[in-house]
Amino acid sequence: RLMNLLEKYHQRLTIMADVAEILCFKRYLAETGRDDYHVTEVEEQLRDAIRRGHEVQLHIHSSYFKAMHNGHSFDQCIDEYNMAALPIERIDETVTECVAYLENLLCPVKKDYKVWLFRAANWSMMPTENLYKVLVRHGITHDTSVFKGGVQGGNVCYDYREAWDNLFAYPASEKNINERDDKGKLIELPIYT
């Protein structure tokens, strides 16, 4: 319904698909033979969005990769809740699998489909350096996770009080996503709030 409404006004939707969650649901389907989480419909919705000229890009809740089904729902792996804090090898493994999944799913619909945009789980791009390097290595050119003034501690920690802007895109520093760096290889598209 949202795509229909936007199309009426010649606008397009960007779906930030949580690929780790989708892959978790696919694993559940393969193990049980039951599509209780409607992964087949989710995949068709993503393909349909691309067919209709909308955008599908990458969002990852890494805690779903090792999630276990408890008979009613999935218990996420809290040790992997903050993807930015994981070792660079684990971040790379996660991003590699997720990019491959989206591109394999959507290239048959649109030959030139490419993952170029990322939204961090729980908005956390901190610590920045390893996640930034992995995203750039995979050809991802833009991030949309930062909202100026945002601060959180606990399992996921970030501090965006010093973000360069709350509206305008900026080339971000590899060391700190808050900082503008004209040589930066990742453009931050801040969440306006």
Side-chain angles (χ1 to χ4, degrees), residues 113-140:
Y113 172 82
K114 172 114 178 64
V115 174
W116 60 270
L117 177 62
F118 178 73
R119 162 70 58 85
N122 307 297
W123 307 283
S124 184
M125 281 293 291
M126 291 185 153
T128 302
E129 192 169 2
N130 287 343
L131 182 51
Y132 186 112
K133 285 178 181 177
V134 169
L135 295 175
V136 169
R137 185 179 312 139
H138 285 277
I140 296 170

Side-chain angles (χ1 to χ4, degrees), residues 23-34 67-69 74:
L23 291 172
C24 180
F25 296 163
K26 284 182 72 70
R27 185 180 75 230
Y28 175 87
L29 172 61
E31 291 170 359
T32 67
R34 297 192 326 263
M68 301 300 292
H69 199 269
F74 286 95

Side-chain angles (χ1 to χ4, degrees), residues 39-189:
V39 71
T40 306
E41 293 174 67
V42 168
E43 289 182 328
E44 182 50 35
Q45 184 182 48
L46 298 178
R47 285 189 292 261
D48 185 52
I50 292 295
R51 267 186 224 106
R52 293 166 65 173
H54 297 280
E55 188 65 79
V56 175
Q57 289 297 321
L58 183 60
H59 180 45
I60 303 174
H61 278 120
S62 52
S63 55
Y64 273 103
F65 276 100
K66 295 180 181 176
M68 301 300 292
H69 199 269
N70 63 24
H72 304 288
S73 61
F74 286 95
D75 293 325
Q76 296 179 48
C77 178
I78 297 305
D79 292 343
E80 293 202 349
Y81 201 67
N82 183 2
M83 192 167 99
L86 295 174
I88 193 167
E89 298 80 13
R90 181 64 179 137
I91 296 170
D92 188 58
E93 180 182 297
T94 300
V95 172
T96 298
E97 185 173 354
C98 291
V99 167
Y101 167 80
L102 273 183
E103 292 183 351
N104 288 333
L105 179 72
L106 300 174
C107 281
V109 178
K110 182 181 179 196
K111 280 196 281 190
D112 64 346
Y113 172 82
K114 172 114 178 64
V115 174
W116 60 270
L117 177 62
F118 178 73
R119 162 70 58 85
N122 307 297
W123 307 283
S124 184
M125 281 293 291
M126 291 185 153
T128 302
E129 192 169 2
N130 287 343
L131 182 51
Y132 186 112
K133 285 178 181 177
V134 169
L135 295 175
V136 169
R137 185 179 312 139
H138 285 277
I140 296 170
T141 57
H142 292 73
D143 173 71
T144 182
S145 303
V146 172
F147 58 103
K148 189 172 178 78
V151 179
Q152 183 174 324
N155 289 330
V156 176
C157 295
Y158 56 82
D159 185 347
Y160 299 144
R161 289 176 289 189
E162 301 298 320
W164 186 78
D165 203 87
N166 71 333
L167 176 60
F168 295 105
Y170 58 94
S173 165
E174 179 181 297
K175 303 289 185 198
N176 183 341
I177 199 74
N178 285 321
E179 296 174 5
R180 181 185 173 106
D181 177 354
D182 289 334
K183 295 180 182 175
K185 296 177 181 172
L186 188 68
I187 303 297
E188 182 59 40
L189 303 172

